[in-house]
Amino acid sequence: MGTEDNTFPQGAEEPHRRHHAVEAPEPQPFLKSLQYSVKETLFPDDPFRQFKNQTTSRQVVLGLKYFLPILDWAPRYSFKLFKSDLIAGITIASLAIPQGISYAKLANLPPILGLYSSFVPPLVYAVLGSSKDLAVGTVAVGSLLTGAMLSREVDAEKDPKLYLHLAFTATFFAGVLEASLGIFRLGFLVDFLSHATIVGFMGGAATVVSLQQLKGIFGLKHFTEATDVISVMRSVFSQTHQWRWESGVLGCGFLFFLLSTRYFSTKKPKFFWVAAMAPLTSVILGSLLVYFTHAERHGVQVIGDLKKGLNPLSVSDLVFTSPYMSTAFKTGLITGIIALAEGIAVGRSFAMFKNYNIDGNKEMIAFGMMNIVGSFTSCYLTTGPFSRSAVNFNAGCKTAVSNIIMAIAVMFTLLFLTPFFYYTPLVVLSSIIMVAMLGLIDYQAAIHLWKVDKFDFLVCMSAYFGVVFGSVEIGLVVAVVISIARLLLFVSRPRTAVKGNIPNTMIYRNTDQYPYSRTVPGLLILEIDAPIYFANAGYLRERITRWIDEEEDRIKTSGENSLQYVILDMSAVGNIDTSGISMMEEIKKIMDRRELKLVLANPKGEVVKKLTRSKFIGDNLGKEWMFLTVGEAVEACSYMLHTSKTEPASKEEPWNNV
């Protein structure tokens, strides 16, 4: 170890290698330790680094650029970038207009709200957002959630005014939640929605949304408010006498057209704009067809009047009174988390393609502010949908100016073009939604999960079937519960393994992973792959005892030298609590009764500090039985086995430390 004297067990010779002492870190004042813990928890990216050694004026400028990213890239903006953003903005506007109208209907809201929500929020995001590729707007899953949750308390047809106000209030609460997570840097909470959870949840929601569009395809006027597949299919097939063949023919025709353009763009990526323009083309063709054939008189439902003009203020429409405030709050909480998870995941995906980073906390603040401002200006929940962002990316956008171009195009539509949507058939909107939803059913990702991790596949399928056969909330809760259960299982049942020596090296590895590794006679080397907490202390005590029992049984069978030392490799044990320390004391007593010696290898600083404060090292183990590496521990124990004639449970030491 670090410093040694010449005191050795009687009859022993000085070992050929000097071993290094395991030191405890310097004790830190409580406030300093607390400050460090808070910094590592909430500020792992060290956002204040750029402010170090800067003048006050420079710090102010950097602070403004941090909170308003547009101030960072706008001074470098050029006409060349504008040309790319202009094309991208017009392209995504052609998709945003029909999608906005469609998704608003999905949320049981007036279609005009879909256009309102594609005007103000993109402008807010362009100022506050850090992604170059995210295209802001309404999303199908968020719209479905909003409609499903609010409809349980208020009927959108019987009391449309209250329903509308609750939608604004839910959007406000969603924005407050998202902004708060960003401001207080609590975005790690969203990480509980694992990739497997999102894949299953999105796939289930897409399936339900697609099936619900059968209402529009068959021209049904009355339909179930439930979202589970059984209720939806029962509602469809119990009304076969009300199916309208005219609507069905139109629906199938536009489905074929949209799917064909989608397939063509997939095979010919250069023609991505064909699929992007297809929804607006469908709206125009459908409107012209209804106008010239008067199909609205023959059972084909149309949108009807859309009010001209920009977003009216809705600040005074927010509902903060009982009994509806709780409904709005719960709706905002769930939809806000889902929108946040989707938007950040989409933003990070496209940032990875272009090799730049986005700040998750900035994104949360941006999403939150655009929903708060949106709730004040007659908008409902918005985020960064994948389909629209993919079109924006493929169209060659360079900055968030593409969102501004899209917003201007929507503004122009609101001011001058809304009367032209009067004859737009609802069946076209249903077709647009169904085709858009197909992209969210990622069966390839599910297959990949099955190949890589069966438990993740179980989480994915639980979310999917929970949504399809229960409800959107049930699917989400089931998937999150299973994910958390898996996390708790990992924490409470950490992996332990026997380590052996790789021949002709000082390397020790898991004998299951490296079958050719060799165990060391008289020694049992165990690795613990997790921090030791109250949740796993009991399990580890039982598991370590079992390893010892199994090793002793093996030795009796093989006739090898008796077990005398148990080395615990603590490399992966980053922390330990008082329950873990008690477990270590119990293990030490068990080994003393069996005349075995406990040895620790590579304990981390935090572990050494706590074991020292608890006097486990001083009163029970002894500092001389801790080593920096497994190799040093094995060398010391082997040295004792070959030179010392005393019992392994005696107080003899390999050497003493000064």
Side-chain angles (χ1 to χ4, degrees), residues 105 108 155 157-158 211-226 231-244 299 301 426:
K105 292 291 291 182
N108 300 322
D155 192 316
E157 294 183 0
K158 295 180 180 178
L211 292 176
Q212 282 189 330
Q213 301 318 302
L214 294 175
K215 172 188 176 182
I217 296 294
F218 293 120
L220 299 175
K221 293 183 178 180
H222 303 288
F223 207 70
T224 180
E225 294 293 338
S231 299
V232 171
M233 298 311 293
R234 183 186 296 121
S235 184
V236 170
F237 289 102
S238 64
Q239 303 183 72
T240 53
H241 58 286
Q242 295 185 14
W243 289 7
R244 308 294 303 193
Q301 301 174 50
L426 296 183

Side-chain angles (χ1 to χ4, degrees), residues 540-608:
L540 287 174
R541 181 187 61 248
E542 301 298 331
R543 196 65 186 88
I544 292 172
T545 304
R546 179 178 154 196
W547 278 120
I548 295 173
D549 292 338
E550 291 176 352
E551 180 66 11
E552 289 183 335
D553 291 342
R554 187 189 68 80
I555 289 174
K556 288 179 182 178
T557 303
S558 63
E560 297 178 7
N561 295 332
S562 62
L563 179 64
Q564 297 188 35
Y565 294 93
V566 177
I567 301 174
L568 294 184
D569 182 3
M570 310 282 281
S571 303
V573 182
N575 211 329
I576 190 170
D577 66 357
T578 52
S579 298
I581 295 172
S582 298
M583 184 275 292
M584 295 293 290
E585 293 172 348
E586 291 180 44
I587 289 293
K588 181 66 169 62
K589 291 177 181 178
I590 292 172
M591 292 191 183
D592 286 344
R593 289 197 297 269
R594 297 190 179 197
E595 297 185 338
L596 301 173
K597 175 59 72 176
L598 176 64
V599 181
L600 302 184
N602 195 21
K604 301 301 183 184
E606 191 69 18
V607 175
V608 175

Side-chain angles (χ1 to χ4, degrees), residues 593-657:
R593 289 197 297 269
R594 297 190 179 197
E595 297 185 338
L596 301 173
K597 175 59 72 176
L598 176 64
V599 181
L600 302 184
N602 195 21
K604 301 301 183 184
E606 191 69 18
V607 175
V608 175
K609 181 175 68 176
K610 291 184 178 180
L611 291 179
T612 302
R613 287 179 177 177
S614 67
K615 299 183 179 180
F616 172 77
I617 293 177
D619 296 346
N620 290 319
L621 181 69
K623 188 176 181 181
E624 65 277 2
W625 294 107
M626 293 194 304
F627 299 87
L628 281 184
T629 67
V630 173
E632 290 189 354
V634 171
E635 184 181 41
C637 294
S638 298
Y639 170 79
M640 289 296 296
L641 283 172
H642 287 93
T643 59
S644 177
K645 304 300 182 180
T646 60
E647 293 295 325
S650 70
K651 294 299 181 179
E652 295 289 354
E653 304 168 358
W655 46 80
N656 295 323
N657 296 288

Side-chain angles (χ1 to χ4, degrees), residues 96-384:
I97 293 169
Q99 274 192 350
I101 295 173
S102 305
Y103 294 161
K105 292 291 291 182
L106 189 60
N108 300 322
L109 293 168
I112 193 67
L113 258 69
L115 296 180
Y116 289 162
S117 301
S118 297
F119 172 49
V120 172
L123 295 176
V124 177
Y125 183 81
V127 175
L128 299 175
S130 60
S131 173
K132 302 175 183 178
D133 304 282
L134 209 64
V136 171
T138 56
V139 287
V141 175
S143 301
L144 173 69
L145 270 171
T146 299
M149 297 183 72
L150 294 182
S151 295
R152 294 176 186 170
E153 299 295 330
V154 179
D155 192 316
E157 294 183 0
K158 295 180 180 178
D159 199 345
K161 186 176 181 181
L162 176 59
Y163 185 91
L164 183 63
H165 292 176
L166 286 179
F168 295 151
T169 310
T171 302
F172 172 78
F173 283 126
V176 170
L177 169 71
E178 293 170 340
S180 299
L181 290 176
I183 292 171
F184 295 106
R185 304 182 70 82
L186 299 175
F188 61 87
L189 296 176
V190 180
D191 293 337
F192 282 103
L193 293 176
S194 65
H195 172 67
T197 301
I198 294 175
V199 169
F201 176 79
M202 290 296 183
T207 301
V208 169
V209 170
S210 298
L211 292 176
Q212 282 189 330
Q213 301 318 302
L214 294 175
K215 172 188 176 182
I217 296 294
F218 293 120
L220 299 175
K221 293 183 178 180
H222 303 288
F223 207 70
T224 180
E225 294 293 338
T227 58
D228 64 283
V229 64
I230 295 175
S231 299
V232 171
M233 298 311 293
R234 183 186 296 121
S235 184
V236 170
F237 289 102
S238 64
Q239 303 183 72
T240 53
H241 58 286
Q242 295 185 14
W243 289 7
R244 308 294 303 193
W245 69 266
E246 300 91 344
S247 183
V249 170
L250 269 180
C252 291
F254 282 110
L255 274 174
F256 178 77
F257 171 70
L258 291 167
L259 289 173
S260 299
T261 56
R262 181 191 181 96
Y263 179 79
F264 177 75
S265 294
T266 302
K267 294 297 182 182
K268 305 286 186 180
K270 292 182 179 180
F271 295 94
F272 70 90
W273 53 270
V274 174
M277 297 293 290
L280 185 59
T281 304
S282 298
V283 168
I284 295 172
L285 291 176
S287 301
L288 291 174
L289 186 63
V290 170
Y291 177 78
F292 287 112
T293 62
H294 301 289
E296 78 279 7
R297 301 176 186 174
H298 302 283
V300 177
Q301 301 174 50
V302 296
I303 289 179
D305 288 317
L306 288 181
K307 185 172 64 173
K308 291 176 63 175
L310 301 180
N311 304 33
L313 292 178
S314 55
V315 180
S316 59
D317 295 336
L318 301 183
V319 180
F320 297 117
T321 56
S322 299
Y324 300 112
M325 180 177 168
S326 60
T327 300
F329 177 78
K330 183 172 71 172
T331 303
L333 181 68
I334 294 178
T335 57
I337 291 176
I338 294 299
L340 199 59
E342 180 179 359
I344 291 179
V346 171
R348 284 176 175 168
S349 298
F350 289 112
M352 180 180 65
F353 285 128
K354 288 190 176 180
N355 197 27
Y356 70 93
N357 295 319
I358 64 171
D359 189 322
N361 290 291
K362 285 183 185 179
E363 291 296 281
M364 293 178 200
I365 295 173
F367 290 156
M369 291 306 300
M370 74 185 189
N371 279 312
I372 291 174
V373 175
S375 69
F376 296 161
T377 54
S378 300
C379 304
Y380 78 104
L381 185 75
T382 53
T383 184

